[in-house]
């Protein structure tokens, strides 16, 4: 077991537990009481630690080396999974995997960023950083899903799209932009889950959907806290502060109306009970698909575009030129002719966001079971 | 042996005797260091007279170049909020305030409607002078409304991109503007209204990875920096020198991501050509 820095208090308890388990296994002395007691202690300690995680600690959890990745979930959740390769133009990107399989008896096209499980595989998977052909493979699979009226499930877990010479030559920007454009119009349901890191355009490139969810210990933002620190503070040492400023946790994102819900993880994070996590995800998908599959396709696309049109927070400036200080916050920005005119997001102007600096209470009841 | 000998090192003239040229009269080219008067530069479409370097200009300079005289500016009453109450070394409202003062603009994009050689066009043009042309909620919202206007009035739409990417101070809200603008453009495409994307120096990050690359026709100014990741980030990642001409307009044309490169002095003429061949009002007739 790998313990993160803030989990240190658990480490010694675990060591003790292991010793007792060994004694128990040898079968001479009955220490089951001790074991139960220790287990309880560990649970309480864990609860204590996980009730007050900082944003930066959540980021660390999202990168936990034992955290399950896309292929783990696919293998756990899918029956008859057939992996499909290649973008049919250039090559097969190993950082985005995908294919077709049955989840809860429903055929789905499922794909996601894939990180490697050990040093060698991490290199093979390019650390989950996709090249343009990865996004194009994803798009190809989505088009396939559309043709056969299959729902699309995207699992997001990337530190970003790969910044390299070849990626630029082959149009990293175009590949991501094209996916956004096509996903907006895709005539089949799209479900997106941030299962680890959701870094910027690289995440969004397979992240535009009818419903977007985040697992409890993940983050999603326009930039990683490290890069943000290096750009705004001109030093790598402010990542904790940057994480706080970026408000990148699932609870933050929900309070902004940018994701739909938080998928609860087992206590201690997805890696502590991987099978349970996969089961939670599978049941979540089941419930969501039931809703989405019932919507007719025109409505689905219209609703999806409306959903994104509403994202953003703007104010309307009363026309008092020359004096930008006198901006007035308005609850509904000037209505424009078109009925589809996007109205700036406005459900509630209460600045929940700022207060969620404290402990975001785990209000997700999404996880069944 | 020289004719003159410097007796003392360093500059001896006291600062108060220094002869200053007033600001705004002269321009020195960043590329070739040649100087010219601002008047000459402006008459030459803000291009260097000796090396043709296209200097960065603002949205309204482009409107002046493109439109037949008059144009109307829209949606500039939509301004930024601070949804995250973002603080780095400064607060976001402080940064905004400084940007309002420095640029005289209300955000990093302006939307205008006018005529180009008597054909109507809606143009959303970005301003690099406003927080690096960064895209936040306001940029997304103004583009979305520009698109709605283009659909309602069946007028072609154009975006002039000039941006370093997403605005970090609006974090995930900025990120979602990529999705929002792309989704709106897909609506425009479905309506059969042409969209022209004009990329200028620089167009990188979230802007290039959304609307800038989605034109029915993509074209750029010469020698503009265009790419997804910034050159510095790539250099740090691969730890190698970048090839000559990497991520320039010419590089993108060569790799198939641009339709053509246009000199600023010919921009209006090429736009007029496009508006003649892509005429949504004619297309409607053809369909019915």
């Amino acid at each position: 077991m790998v313990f993160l820095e803030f989990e240190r208090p658990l480490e010694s308890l675990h060591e003790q537990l292991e010793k007792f388990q060994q004694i128990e296994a040898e079968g001479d002395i009955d220490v089951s009481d001790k074991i139960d007691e220790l287990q309880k202690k560990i649970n309480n300690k864990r609860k204590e630690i996980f009730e007050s995680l900082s944003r930066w600690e959540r980021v660390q959890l999202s990168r936990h080396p034992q955290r399950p990745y896309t292929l783990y979930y696919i293998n756990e959740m899918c029956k008859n999974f057939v992996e499909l390769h290649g973008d049919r133009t250039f090559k097969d990107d190993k950082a985005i995997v995908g294919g077709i399989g049955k989840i809860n008896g429903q055929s789905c096209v499922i794909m996601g960023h894939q990180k490697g499980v050990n040093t060698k595989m991490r290199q093979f998977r390019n650390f989950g950083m996709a090249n343009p052909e990865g996004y194009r493979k994803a798009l190809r699979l989505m088009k396939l899903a559309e043709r056969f009226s299959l729902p699309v499930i995207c699992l997001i877990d990337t530190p970003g799209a790969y910044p390299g010479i070849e990626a630029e030559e082959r149009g990293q920007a175009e590949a991501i932009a094209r996916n956004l454009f096509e996903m907006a119009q895709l005539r089949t349901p799209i479900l997106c889950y941030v299962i680890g890191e959701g870094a910027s355009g690289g995440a969004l490139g397979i992240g535009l959907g009818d419903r977007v969810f985040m697992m409890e210990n993940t983050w999603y933002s326009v930039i990683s806290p490290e890069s943000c620190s290096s750009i705004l503070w001109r030093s790598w040492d402010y990542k904790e502060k940057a994480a706080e400023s970026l408000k990148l946790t699932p609870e933050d994102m929900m309070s902004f109306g940018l994701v739909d819900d938080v998928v609860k993880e087992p206590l201690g994070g997805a890696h502590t009970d991987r099978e349970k996590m996969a089961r939670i995800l599978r049941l979540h998908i089941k419930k969501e698909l039931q809703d989405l599959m019932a919507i007719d396709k025109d409505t689905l696309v219209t609703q999806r575009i409306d959903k994104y049109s509403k994202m953003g927070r703007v104010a309307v400036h009363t026309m008092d030129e020359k004096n930008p200080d006198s901006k007035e916050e308005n609850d509904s920005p000037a209505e424009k002719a078109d009925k589809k005119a996007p109205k700036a997001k406005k459900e509630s102007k209460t600045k929940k966001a700022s207060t969620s600096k404290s402990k975001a209470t785990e209000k997700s009841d999404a996880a069944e079971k | 042996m020289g004719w003159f000998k410097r007796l003392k090192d360093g500059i001896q003239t006291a600062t108060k005797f220094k002869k200053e040229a007033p600001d705004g009269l002269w321009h020195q080219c960043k590329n070739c260091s040649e100087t010219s008067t601002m008047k000459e530069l402006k008459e030459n479409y803000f291009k260097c007279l000796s090396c043709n370097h296209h200097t960065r200009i603002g949205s309204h300079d482009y409107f002046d170049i493109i439109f037949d005289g008059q144009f109307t500016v829209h949606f500039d009453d939509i301004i930024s909020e601070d949804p995250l109450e973002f603080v780095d070394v400064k607060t976001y409202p402080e940064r905004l305030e400084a940007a309002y003062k420095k640029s005289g603009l209300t955000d990093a994009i302006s939307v205008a409607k006018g005529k180009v050689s008597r054909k109507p066009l809606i143009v959303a043009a970005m301003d690099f002078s406003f927080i690096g042309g960064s895209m936040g909620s306001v940029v997304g919202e103004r583009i979305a409304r520009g698109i709605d206007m283009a659909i309602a009035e069946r007028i072609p739409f154009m975006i002039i991109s000039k941006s370093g990417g997403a605005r970090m101070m609006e974090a995930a809200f900025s990120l979602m503007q990529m999705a929002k603008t792309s989704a709106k453009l897909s609506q425009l495409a479905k309506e059969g209204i042409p969209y022209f994307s004009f990329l200028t120096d620089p167009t990188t990050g979230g802007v290039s990875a959304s609307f800038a690359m989605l034109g029915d026709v993509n074209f750029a100014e010469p020698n503009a920096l265009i790419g997804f990741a910034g050159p510095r980030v790539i250099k740090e990642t691969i730890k190698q020198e970048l090839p000559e001409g990497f991520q320039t307009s010419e590089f993108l044309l060569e790799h198939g991501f641009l339709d053509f490169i246009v000199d600023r002095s010919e921009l209006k003429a090429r736009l007029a050509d496009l508006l003649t061949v892509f005429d949504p009002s004619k297309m409607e007739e053809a369909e019915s």
Side-chain angles (χ1 to χ4, degrees):
Chain A
M1 225 174 171
V2 180
F3 291 92
L4 298 172
E5 219 173 280
F6 57 88
E7 292 177 307
R8 286 277 172 249
L10 289 174
E11 196 170 12
S12 61
L13 288 173
H14 261 276
E15 271 166 20
Q16 284 178 43
L17 180 68
E18 267 164 37
K19 262 180 215 152
F20 279 115
Q21 276 167 340
Q22 214 172 349
I23 296 169
E24 173 97 340
E26 280 160 13
D28 295 339
I29 317 157
D30 181 21
V31 284
S32 55
D33 289 357
K34 280 271 177 207
I35 290 178
D36 285 351
E37 197 185 309
L38 264 172
Q39 211 110 43
K40 219 174 266 168
K41 233 181 185 172
I42 288 172
N43 270 342
N44 288 340
K45 191 79 202 162
R46 188 167 266 149
K47 220 175 255 168
E48 197 187 304
I49 293 172
F50 276 76
E51 261 166 16
S52 55
L53 289 180
S54 72
R55 288 190 173 87
W56 173 244
E57 285 162 350
R58 301 287 277 281
V59 172
Q60 288 174 291
L61 273 172
S62 77
R63 298 169 178 165
H64 197 287
Q66 286 161 335
R67 209 176 157 81
Y69 301 138
T70 294
L71 279 175
Y72 175 81
Y73 288 116
I74 288 179
N75 291 331
E76 280 290 305
M77 297 191 304
C78 286
K79 281 198 179 124
N80 315 97
F81 179 72
V82 183
E83 188 174 348
L84 303 174
H85 293 272
D87 69 343
R88 295 293 186 271
T89 307
F90 181 69
K91 73 193 273 193
D92 182 47
D93 193 334
K94 310 294 189 291
I96 289 185
V97 295
I100 181 165
K102 282 205 168 196
I103 303 177
N104 306 306
Q106 160 76 52
S107 282
C108 298
V109 167
I110 179 163
M111 66 190 80
H113 302 100
Q114 178 66 30
K115 292 179 176 174
V117 291
N118 53 39
T119 311
K120 208 171 162 191
M121 288 307 281
R122 275 190 270 280
Q123 242 164 15
F124 178 72
R125 297 290 181 192
N126 200 24
F127 304 90
M129 293 187 283
N131 274 292
E133 50 273 19
Y135 295 102
R136 291 182 181 129
K137 167 163 80 175
L139 183 58
R140 185 193 134 225
L141 297 187
M142 288 180 216
K143 289 281 180 188
L144 186 98
E146 184 180 46
R147 204 152 58 244
F148 296 99
S149 287
L150 305 175
V152 175
I153 296 157
C154 298
L155 306 182
I156 296 161
D157 186 10
T158 180
Y162 186 64
I165 292 182
E166 293 81 7
E168 296 289 324
E169 284 176 345
R170 295 196 291 274
Q172 188 73 286
E174 196 274 345
I176 293 172
R178 185 65 49 201
N179 278 18
L180 297 176
F181 185 91
E182 296 288 344
M183 289 176 92
Q185 291 285 344
L186 202 76
R187 294 173 65 79
T188 196
I190 307 175
L191 272 184
C192 303
Y193 290 88
V194 180
I195 59 167
E197 297 187 87
S200 199
L204 191 62
I206 57 165
L208 192 156
D210 299 294
R211 304 264 194 284
V212 182
F213 303 99
M214 290 174 75
M215 286 187 183
E216 201 180 343
N217 296 306
T218 63
W219 64 275
Y220 198 178
S221 194
V222 74
I223 192 166
S224 71
E226 290 93 333
S227 306
C228 179
S229 157
S230 95
I231 292 173
L232 291 181
W233 280 270
R234 295 173 196 284
S235 143
W236 295 94
D237 305 333
Y238 294 87
K239 47 189 191 281
E240 289 93 346
K241 260 193 189 158
E244 289 300 317
S245 285
L246 286 168
K247 304 213 162 59
L248 38 61
T249 68
E251 291 80 10
D252 293 328
M253 290 293 281
M254 235 183 99
S255 75
F256 299 147
L258 300 178
V259 300
D260 296 281
D261 206 351
V262 184
V263 180
K264 236 181 145 191
E265 293 181 15
L267 182 64
H271 60 280
T272 54
D273 193 345
R274 296 156 63 101
E275 278 170 38
K276 186 175 174 194
M277 190 66 241
R279 204 161 55 238
I280 293 172
L281 182 61
R282 183 169 58 76
L283 292 173
H284 198 276
I285 289 171
K286 184 178 185 181
K287 183 172 133 253
E288 292 300 325
L289 280 186
Q290 263 166 5
D291 294 349
L292 286 178
M293 297 295 274
I295 303 173
D296 82 275
K297 287 174 181 166
D298 288 326
T299 317
L300 194 72
V301 172
T302 312
Q303 281 179 357
R304 193 186 301 145
I305 293 176
D306 276 354
K307 170 189 165 101
Y308 282 92
S309 299
K310 287 189 185 108
M311 287 186 186
R313 290 270 176 91
V314 295
V316 174
H317 177 40
T318 44
M319 281 327 255
D320 174 17
E321 237 18 275
K322 293 284 144 237
N323 188 11
D325 311 74
S326 71
K327 57 192 118 148
E328 189 176 281
E329 293 191 356
N330 200 326
D331 264 322
S332 69
E335 309 283 342
K336 273 284 140 187
D338 196 314
K339 54 182 186 308
K340 279 179 201 153
K343 283 163 208 125
K345 132 74 34 107
K346 224 101 266 190
E347 324 155 318
S348 67
K349 219 92 190 322
T350 48
K351 304 259 167 162
K352 295 178 227 164
S354 59
T355 53
S356 67
K357 197 169 231 162
S358 68
K359 201 58 272 92
T361 47
E362 304 150 336
K363 49 189 154 211
S364 158
D365 44 12
E368 293 174 16
K369 147 91 219 222
Chain B
M1 252 264 281
W3 283 35
F4 298 100
K5 192 167 176 226
R6 168 164 269 189
L7 295 173
K8 285 180 186 165
D9 280 340
I11 297 164
Q12 302 299 312
T13 320
T15 315
K16 63 175 176 178
F17 296 121
K18 221 172 95 185
K19 289 183 180 71
E20 286 270 13
D23 272 349
L25 261 186
W26 291 90
H27 172 81
Q28 185 174 40
C29 177
K30 278 192 180 139
N31 188 42
C32 69
S33 304
E34 279 294 315
T35 46
S36 57
T37 64
M38 279 307 278
K39 191 164 167 277
E40 287 172 322
L41 188 76
K42 193 172 175 187
E43 278 163 5
N44 197 35
Y45 298 91
F46 298 96
K47 300 183 303 172
C48 174
L49 282 91
S50 68
C51 74
N52 203 36
H53 173 69
H54 287 52
T55 60
R56 286 179 186 167
I57 56 175
S59 54
H60 285 256
D61 298 321
Y62 279 112
F63 296 154
D64 287 339
I65 290 171
I66 290 171
F67 290 127
D68 311 338
Q70 285 177 335
F71 58 88
T72 51
V73 175
H74 299 261
F75 319 125
D76 60 351
D77 54 338
I78 299 169
I79 54 164
S80 254
E81 277 193 32
D82 181 15
L84 280 80
E85 302 183 350
F86 193 93
V87 187
D88 52 279
V89 287
K90 278 187 202 164
T91 68
Y92 183 35
E94 277 167 13
R95 283 188 189 271
L96 282 171
E97 217 47 63
Y100 294 137
K101 282 217 180 82
K102 185 185 139 207
S103 66
L105 296 158
T106 53
D107 213 288
I109 202 164
S110 293
V111 182
K113 183 166 73 174
K115 288 194 171 166
V116 181
S117 301
R118 296 185 304 284
K119 296 201 178 292
L121 178 69
I122 296 170
V123 181
M126 304 189 80
D127 280 285
F128 196 76
S129 61
F130 196 96
I131 320 188
S134 56
M135 169 167 65
S137 300
V138 174
V139 170
E141 182 68 13
R142 287 185 187 174
I143 288 176
R145 294 203 186 191
I147 291 171
D148 283 331
M149 191 160 84
I151 291 174
E153 302 181 26
R154 297 200 66 79
I155 295 175
F157 185 65
M158 171 174 171
I159 300 179
I160 303 177
S161 297
K162 188 184 276 299
S163 168
R167 189 173 298 169
M168 238 176 289
M169 288 71 87
E170 290 184 37
F173 282 101
S174 299
L175 179 64
M176 293 305 158
Q177 301 313 307
M178 292 171 63
K180 175 170 171 172
T181 52
S182 305
K184 291 302 288 183
L185 283 174
S186 77
Q187 258 183 340
L188 188 75
K190 238 183 149 189
E191 292 284 339
I193 313 269
Y195 161 51
F196 309 127
S197 174
F198 183 44
L199 295 81
T200 69
D201 185 64
T203 299
T204 57
V207 167
S208 70
S210 59
F211 55 80
M213 277 293 160
L214 290 173
D216 293 308
V217 180
N218 292 339
F219 51 110
E221 281 187 348
N223 205 31
L225 171 73
I226 303 168
F228 175 67
R232 201 171 46 101
V233 177
I234 298 175
K235 222 165 130 176
E236 277 169 18
T237 309
I238 62 170
K239 300 187 170 60
Q240 276 172 37
E241 283 303 308
L242 301 174
E244 183 87 10
F246 182 61
Q247 293 186 315
T248 57
S249 312
E250 292 72 17
F251 175 92
L252 268 92
L253 182 69
E254 190 54 36
H255 285 92
F257 294 99
L258 292 178
D259 290 289
F260 56 86
I261 293 171
V262 63
D263 191 282
R264 206 178 275 157
S265 59
E266 285 156 26
L267 175 60
K268 181 165 180 167
R270 293 307 286 279
L271 261 182
D273 289 340
L274 285 175
L275 289 170
T276 309
V277 288
F278 287 96
D279 188 338
S281 58
K282 293 273 161 53
M283 287 173 194
E284 210 173 23
E285 280 165 30
E287 260 172 42
S288 56

